[in-house]
């Protein structure tokens, strides 16, 4: 069974909810899952032992791209997570009315790509993820298919 890691940063609970939807969809696709808040992980070797790593982060602010507070230390240490050659995906919650709608998704996927990861897909969730559950499930299923 393939192993997948989901790491998310969530302040209001929206990204945590979305991570749960991603987890269910990946399990249905046959993955064994570790779904962890970013506060429970350490950067060194984070991606070791996983066929797929999925990162979720909300975006704050309107004047610049602001990652969710707890996610920033991991983002700043991405060089240590051993993402090179790994299959990864990124999702995030935000509000489309902001200038940098889900800009954290773009920043994280770009940094992972720059580090040599294979970014399979990204998903930007507008507002409440409960109203986008079917879209999140579909996206996670597509990620699973690309990772297999």
């Amino acid at each position: 069974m393939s192993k997948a890691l989901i790491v998310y940063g969530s302040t209001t609970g929206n990204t945590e909810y979305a991570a749960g939807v991603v987890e269910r969809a990946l399990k249905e696709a046959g993955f064994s899952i570790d779904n962890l808040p970013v506060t429970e992980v350490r950067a060194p070797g984070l991606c070791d032992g996983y066929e797929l790593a999925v990162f979720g982060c909300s975006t704050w602010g309107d004047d610049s791209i602001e990652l969710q507070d707890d996610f920033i230390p991991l983002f700043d240490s991405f060089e240590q997570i051993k993402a090179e050659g790994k299959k990864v995906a990124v999702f995030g919650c935000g509000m489309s009315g902001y200038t940098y709608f889900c800009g954290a998704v773009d920043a994280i996927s770009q940094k992972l790509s720059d580090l040599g990861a294979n970014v399979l897909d990204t998903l930007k969730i507008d507002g409440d993820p409960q109203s986008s559950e079917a879209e999140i499930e579909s996206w996670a299923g597509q990620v699973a298919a690309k990772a297999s």
Side-chain angles (χ1 to χ4, degrees), residues 53-66:
V54 181
F55 297 93
C57 183
S58 55
T59 304
W60 297 93
D62 198 26
D63 296 329
S64 64
I65 296 171
E66 294 180 39

Side-chain angles (χ1 to χ4, degrees), residues 11 19 31 37 63 83-85 110 112 115 118 121 125-126 136 145:
T11 300
F31 282 84
D63 296 329
E84 184 176 352
Q110 184 61 57
L112 288 167
L115 292 170
N118 178 8
D121 209 347
I125 303 161
D126 190 9
I136 299 166

Side-chain angles (χ1 to χ4, degrees), residues 81-106:
I81 68 171
K82 296 192 178 178
E84 184 176 352
K86 293 288 184 177
K87 295 174 183 175
V88 301
V90 183
F91 69 93
C93 296
M95 300 296 286
S96 60
Y98 284 91
T99 304
Y100 299 102
F101 169 58
C102 288
V105 171
D106 298 328

Side-chain angles (χ1 to χ4, degrees), residues 21-72:
V21 175
V22 171
E23 177 182 10
R24 286 193 308 274
L26 292 178
K27 279 183 179 178
E28 287 178 16
F31 282 84
S32 168
I33 308 294
D34 288 330
N35 184 3
L36 301 168
V38 71
T39 55
E40 293 183 15
V41 302
R42 303 259 182 257
L46 179 63
C47 293
D48 286 344
Y50 295 98
E51 285 72 36
L52 172 65
V54 181
F55 297 93
C57 183
S58 55
T59 304
W60 297 93
D62 198 26
D63 296 329
S64 64
I65 296 171
E66 294 180 39
L67 279 67
Q68 191 271 343
D69 290 342
D70 295 331
F71 205 95
I72 294 169

Side-chain angles (χ1 to χ4, degrees), residues 97-147:
Y98 284 91
T99 304
Y100 299 102
F101 169 58
C102 288
V105 171
D106 298 328
I108 292 167
S109 61
Q110 184 61 57
K111 191 163 189 177
L112 288 167
S113 179
D114 291 348
L115 292 170
N118 178 8
V119 180
L120 301 177
D121 209 347
T122 63
L123 176 66
K124 296 179 178 184
I125 303 161
D126 190 9
D128 181 4
Q130 292 181 20
S131 62
S132 300
E133 192 166 323
E135 178 186 2
I136 299 166
E137 287 174 351
S138 175
W139 175 81
Q142 292 170 15
V143 168
K146 291 176 183 179

